[in-house]
Amino acid sequence: MTRRGIEWLSAAADDPAECRAAWADDPRKPCMLATGRAFDVVTVDQRLGLETFDQLNRRGCPFGPAMVDHQSRRVGFFLVSGSRESFAQYLGRETQTPPPYRYLSCESVVVVPGPMPLAGDRYQWLRAPSRRPLSNPLRPVALATMLVASAELLERADRYGREHSTPHRAVTVTSRGPVTDAG
């Protein structure tokens, strides 16, 4: 994480200077920050979050910082403060049954990784902030779209796994129609 990323992130703390001093002493130290000041955070189940992160990355979609909490098995995506309505609107355009998520804004807090977490730390950056993210109206759109697409992809993969217990069975079903487990 860059110095400008640290400055932006610590601005959400009750005492930004104290937060930066704590990180100067221990750059691995997680910190609890208020959401709604400098950023909002959308959190989802880790499996869905990692797939969404991968899809956003591979497709070159605009998105900001992202983190993972390994113990609670959640991934958080940072959005510009006040993005709730935009995110919900685009999520609603994609599906009538959105995947479960939590939107953290005013009067919420999030624990963020320190600027330099190590492998094995509970909190880690998937994409650390390098500076104050520019306001980009496409970020909530990209996150909502890829969140729904990733949920559908995972559901389809799970359904495939339930229906086809082995690769042989999948090929047999595809080429000849349904077969029994014995065949």
Side-chain angles (χ1 to χ4, degrees):
M1 182 183 306
T2 65
R3 180 181 53 81
R4 291 189 324 189
I6 292 171
E7 288 171 4
W8 170 75
L9 202 57
S10 66
D14 290 334
D15 185 343
E18 184 180 310
C19 181
R20 288 189 297 274
W23 281 339
D25 288 342
D26 182 2
R28 292 178 59 195
K29 184 176 184 174
C31 185
M32 186 166 34
L33 299 176
T35 54
R37 289 181 187 167
F39 52 81
D40 292 350
V41 179
V42 175
T43 71
V44 296
D45 174 74
Q46 183 173 323
R47 182 172 178 235
L48 175 58
L50 293 176
E51 182 63 38
T52 302
F53 177 79
D54 184 50
Q55 293 294 332
L56 288 165
N57 242 349
R58 284 193 291 144
R59 299 183 188 292
C61 294
F63 70 104
M67 58 163 278
V68 62
D69 175 346
H70 292 288
Q71 188 172 334
S72 70
R73 302 189 50 79
R74 307 268 315 159
V75 171
F77 295 92
F78 289 64
L79 292 172
V80 173
S81 292
S83 297
R84 180 189 299 262
E85 286 182 37
S86 177
F87 176 75
Q89 176 186 9
Y90 288 108
L91 197 61
R93 286 184 182 178
E94 291 295 319
T95 183
Q96 293 196 5
T97 56
Y101 70 94
R102 294 182 197 137
Y103 193 99
L104 306 175
S105 188
C106 295
E107 300 185 23
S108 293
V109 294
V110 65
V111 177
V112 300
M116 297 170 51
L118 297 177
D121 285 353
R122 174 180 176 170
Y123 303 98
Q124 293 182 325
W125 291 106
L126 296 173
R127 182 179 193 180
S130 58
R131 59 178 161 64
R132 178 185 179 166
L134 302 174
S135 181
N136 183 339
L138 296 178
R139 283 192 178 137
V141 176
L143 180 57
T145 302
M146 283 303 134
L147 189 62
V148 171
S150 296
E152 290 172 358
L153 175 68
L154 291 172
E155 173 54 36
R156 187 170 180 180
D158 289 346
R159 186 175 54 248
Y160 179 85
R162 287 189 303 270
E163 293 172 0
H164 308 292
S165 55
T166 66
H168 170 74
R169 181 165 163 74
V171 171
T172 306
V173 168
T174 303
S175 61
R176 294 190 314 194
V179 296
T180 64
D181 282 329

